[in-house]
Amino acid sequence: MGSIDSLYDRVKRYLAGFFTGEGSTDAITGYSSGELQMAVFLLVLAAMFRVFMIPLGIVLILVTSIMIVYFAPIIRTVDRENSSDLNRVLFWVIIYFSIILAVTLWGR
Amino acid sequence: MSEPVTNLWSVPLLVMIPIFTAIIVNFLYNRTRAIRFISIGAALAVFAIAVVSPYGLHWFAGHPAVNADGTYTFTASIFSWKLSLEYYYGPLQQILIALMSLLLLFVVVIATKSLSKNYGPYIAIVFLTYVSAAAILMANDFYNLWIAVELGSLLVAGLVASSGTSYAQKAALKYTFFSALAGSGLAISLGLILGITGYVNITDAITFLMTNDLGGMYAVLYVAFAFLALAWIYAGGLIPVHPLKSDVYRSAFPHATVLLQTQSKLMLVAIGIVLLRMFGPLPFAREVMLSISVLTMIIGIVMALIQTDFRWILAYIIVSHSGLVTVGLSLGTYQGVVGGLFQAVNDIVYMSILLLCCEMLLYFGKGTSIKFNGGIAKKSPWLAAFVILGAFAASGIPPFNGFQSELIIIQAALAEGLPEVAAVVLMVSISTFIALFRAIYSIFLKPGDPSPAGQPEAKGFTMPPTVFLFLSVLLAISFVLGVYPQLALGFLTESALKVVFVPWVP
């Protein structure tokens, strides 16, 4: 009983995620296209790790697929994180800057 | 053998004519006819200078260079240490500055027609924005680069705030706040490079790095790279600063956004080339640039897909296509750099078409929301034709220019063994089409509200002849570059060759 409810709730939440909140549109086309675009992009990104090791690429594609299904709809998160709020932008700038520094120094 | 010119006449004119124009029109304030006459004349003058100018260097303040044996020289040589601030005007600078001058002319004509007050200060900011972009592109020393980026950031804020809405002023304030961070980043990078090489001239600094072993000081060079990359991200509006930049693009008048996006592309190209020349051989430097570019492309286009206002859609597409420019540059190969530079030229052209169409929607008083529009194609078929053809060019559909540069970038990515990057470029191209045509259908092609019973059908909208002419010129450029890309590639290949094979040559 519980598992059926949980599945129903999850599907309902998934569909409602496209419509509710502070979405920029009431039409599903943009959000569903964006969702697909993000999902494909994340899979492509995971596939890029084949450059280091092919098994690593395969594992990452599988892990990414599971995470996409689990965390969907991703587009809502992307939309939220895309705010021009100064604190949020500053936070991401610091994260990016740290990664750039870490990667280049590590590459040395 | 002819010596390179070190006192090229055109360089100071390209910088000083817009500055003097800005000062004069600022004093003239609201004298419409005088401002219009002077600003159009100045825009035509800089366009003519950019087109006819020969190539060469200009050393400001007349300082000579020092040879290896301690003697002085006024002729340019890569093995002499330059004491002066150095500007270089070559084929890349020529095509980009000539294109920007043409757009400056269009922007000035539209601005002096459409604004109702404060002409002078507004036109002054427009001209100074032009100067900042031209200076960034020509500078061959970190000091001038830093000053031009700082000035450019403040002018972007001024241009956006001039649109007068509270939203625009908020966007300008946020952008200015970040300029403190990115400008400081560039200054720190300058300081670190000066500290380890002893030179601010880019050619001299690269020559020093190639002829000396930095030993343990290499770590400092990586930190300098990170700070310069931060300035690049900020100036070009790449991820994660893109929300601020897209706010800037959508808050300014669309005609001002034409100049803003051109300035951004020029900054991306100029700083991107410096990053490649100076830090290209460092491990992971190009990979970092490529990651930022790919993320910018994807996040930009995904955000464009979910917007419901044509201005917002265009703002995010500009951001996304900035990533397309930098992907080419970041690949670091000859073909990639050519593709990136060509994409910058094309992007400036087709986004200007779309932005001017957006300006016309505001001129017709219809707004740019895709929710409350429709039927514009019936009332203004020419505008609909321009926007559809502009969207084709932006989506990389032949025979327009976007197709050629995207093809080169895709081929460059495949040649580098990165089919994933090629796939992302294709995804962006297709999504650009979806995002634009979603808006074009709602605003232009969908039937509008029928006239109330008993009332005559609403009259059609007539485009001003000047805007019709500007759109025709831009569309013609887009078509010609699509059919005959060698016309632009002839200006870009030399720069790409230098960046990849002889990075110390400006």
Side-chain angles (χ1 to χ4, degrees):
Chain A
M1 181 73 181
S3 66
I4 293 170
D5 280 350
S6 150
L7 180 64
Y8 166 76
D9 286 340
R10 198 166 289 179
V11 171
K12 195 175 147 191
R13 257 202 315 277
Y14 177 76
L15 291 174
F18 286 107
F19 294 105
T20 55
E22 46 186 28
S24 310
T25 175
D26 55 357
I28 201 164
T29 46
Y31 271 90
S32 50
S33 307
E35 177 74 6
L36 281 172
Q37 180 90 263
M38 279 310 299
V40 173
F41 170 66
L42 290 173
L43 288 172
V44 168
L45 199 68
M48 270 195 93
F49 282 83
R50 67 164 177 88
V51 175
F52 301 105
M53 207 192 295
I54 290 176
L56 177 66
I58 295 169
V59 170
L60 280 176
I61 287 174
L62 288 172
V63 170
T64 310
S65 309
I66 293 164
M67 286 177 78
I68 287 169
V69 173
Y70 187 77
F71 287 109
I74 315 162
I75 189 75
R76 299 284 307 128
T77 315
V78 174
D79 192 14
R80 233 182 359 258
E81 291 300 337
N82 204 67
S83 154
S84 63
D85 173 36
L86 268 184
N87 294 336
R88 202 178 285 263
V89 177
L90 197 57
F91 166 77
W92 281 111
V93 166
I94 290 165
I95 297 283
Y96 271 72
F97 185 65
S98 313
I99 292 171
I100 292 171
L101 258 182
V103 167
T104 44
L105 285 171
W106 171 65
R108 185 167 66 98
Chain B
M1 198 182 96
S2 61
E3 289 286 350
V5 179
T6 53
N7 61 345
L8 190 66
W9 57 271
S10 54
V11 170
L13 287 179
L14 282 173
V15 176
M16 294 314 295
I17 289 177
I19 290 178
F20 279 126
T21 309
I23 294 168
I24 294 167
V25 295
N26 196 33
F27 277 124
L28 290 171
Y29 201 67
N30 261 346
R31 293 183 186 171
T32 319
R33 276 172 176 251
I35 291 172
R36 196 172 161 77
F37 178 74
I38 291 169
S39 53
I40 291 174
L44 281 170
V46 287
F47 176 69
I49 291 167
V51 170
V52 302
S53 170
Y55 305 138
L57 295 156
H58 189 92
W59 293 349
F60 279 90
H63 292 295
V66 182
N67 288 317
D69 59 5
T71 55
Y72 297 106
T73 178
F74 281 96
T75 55
S77 158
I78 55 164
F79 298 113
S80 61
W81 310 117
K82 287 89 186 169
L83 302 175
S84 59
L85 305 176
E86 187 177 64
Y87 277 22
Y88 175 68
Y89 190 80
L92 173 68
Q93 285 77 5
Q94 183 171 40
I95 189 170
L96 287 176
I97 294 177
L99 185 58
M100 186 170 60
S101 307
L102 188 68
L103 293 174
L104 174 73
L105 177 68
F106 296 172
V107 169
V108 161
V109 171
I110 293 171
T112 49
K113 274 278 183 194
S114 61
L115 292 182
S116 55
K117 57 178 184 175
N118 298 344
Y119 289 110
Y122 184 76
I123 299 294
I125 295 172
V126 165
F127 271 91
L128 292 175
T129 306
Y130 170 91
V131 175
S132 70
I136 288 166
L137 198 62
M138 291 190 289
N140 191 38
D141 62 83
F142 284 106
Y143 189 71
N144 256 320
L145 197 71
W146 170 49
I147 292 173
V149 169
E150 284 278 28
L151 277 177
S153 311
L154 292 174
L155 291 162
V156 167
L159 209 52
V160 175
S162 305
S163 75
T165 62
S166 61
Y167 186 77
Q169 283 161 357
K170 205 172 162 186
L173 193 65
K174 283 182 190 174
Y175 193 73
T176 316
F177 173 81
F178 255 82
S179 82
L181 198 74
S184 308
L186 219 165
I188 292 170
S189 180
L190 186 163
L192 294 176
I193 290 166
L194 181 64
I196 50 175
T197 67
Y199 304 103
V200 286
N201 184 287
I202 296 168
T203 298
D204 290 353
I206 295 169
T207 310
F208 179 89
L209 290 177
M210 292 179 71
T211 52
N212 292 278
D213 181 19
L214 289 181
M217 295 298 281
Y218 260 109
V220 179
L221 201 61
Y222 294 116
V223 178
F225 165 74
F227 275 109
L228 192 58
L230 184 67
W232 183 58
I233 287 169
Y234 168 78
L238 303 178
I239 197 164
V241 183
H242 67 286
L244 300 180
K245 199 72 173 186
S246 56
D247 271 5
V248 159
Y249 291 141
R250 67 192 180 200
S251 309
F253 293 121
H255 67 256
T257 308
V258 168
L259 205 62
L260 292 175
Q261 64 107 10
T262 307
Q263 189 217 35
S264 284
K265 301 286 156 42
L266 263 64
M267 282 184 171
L268 278 178
V269 165
I271 304 176
I273 283 177
V274 171
L275 279 169
L276 273 185
R277 287 173 66 198
M278 188 88 192
F279 305 103
L282 295 184
F284 284 102
R286 282 190 291 149
E287 284 77 0
V288 164
M289 290 168 70
L290 191 62
S291 312
I292 292 166
S293 308
V294 169
L295 280 171
T296 305
M297 275 199 304
I298 281 295
I299 300 296
I301 202 64
V302 164
M303 289 309 296
L305 281 169
I306 62 176
Q307 304 305 317
T308 54
D309 189 293
F310 194 40
R311 280 169 92 172
W312 291 31
I313 291 171
L314 291 183
Y316 278 110
I317 289 178
I318 294 169
V319 165
S320 173
H321 285 215
S322 297
L324 212 50
V325 172
T326 52
V327 157
L329 293 177
S330 309
L331 286 170
T333 59
Y334 168 70
Q335 199 179 17
V337 175
V338 168
L341 297 176
F342 193 26
Q343 177 62 33
V345 172
N346 294 337
D347 204 32
I348 290 169
V349 174
Y350 61 64
M351 287 317 301
S352 298
I353 296 174
L354 294 170
L355 286 163
L356 288 184
C357 291
C358 191
E359 175 91 17
M360 280 299 95
L361 284 176
L362 297 175
Y363 173 77
F364 294 153
K366 294 297 287 181
T368 51
S369 170
I370 67 172
K371 288 181 182 173
F372 310 109
N373 262 302
I376 303 286
K378 200 175 174 186
K379 292 174 182 166
S380 182
W382 278 109
L383 184 63
F386 281 123
V387 80
I388 288 171
L389 294 176
F392 281 169
S395 312
I397 294 175
F400 296 101
N401 56 355
F403 164 74
Q404 294 287 359
S405 48
E406 284 175 24
L407 186 65
I408 295 173
I409 293 172
I410 288 170
Q411 285 173 338
L414 291 174
E416 268 293 273
L418 293 168
E420 294 87 355
V421 175
V424 173
V425 173
L426 274 175
M427 278 163 63
V428 168
S429 192
I430 294 164
S431 301
T432 302
F433 184 85
I434 297 170
L436 282 173
F437 269 86
R438 210 171 126 249
I440 289 172
Y441 171 74
S442 302
I443 297 172
F444 291 89
L445 305 178
K446 192 175 75 179
D449 296 332
S451 302
Q455 285 187 12
E457 192 71 21
K459 277 197 276 183
F461 298 132
T462 312
M463 260 201 284
T466 45
V467 178
F468 184 85
L469 177 71
F470 298 159
L471 284 169
S472 304
V473 169
L474 289 170
L475 199 63
I477 295 173
S478 173
F479 180 75
V480 169
L481 292 182
V483 175
Y484 188 61
Q486 281 75 14
L487 206 64
L489 292 176
F491 289 90
L492 308 174
T493 47
E494 188 198 294
S495 294
L497 275 171
K498 284 186 196 169
V499 169
V500 178
F501 299 110
V502 280
W504 56 89
V505 180

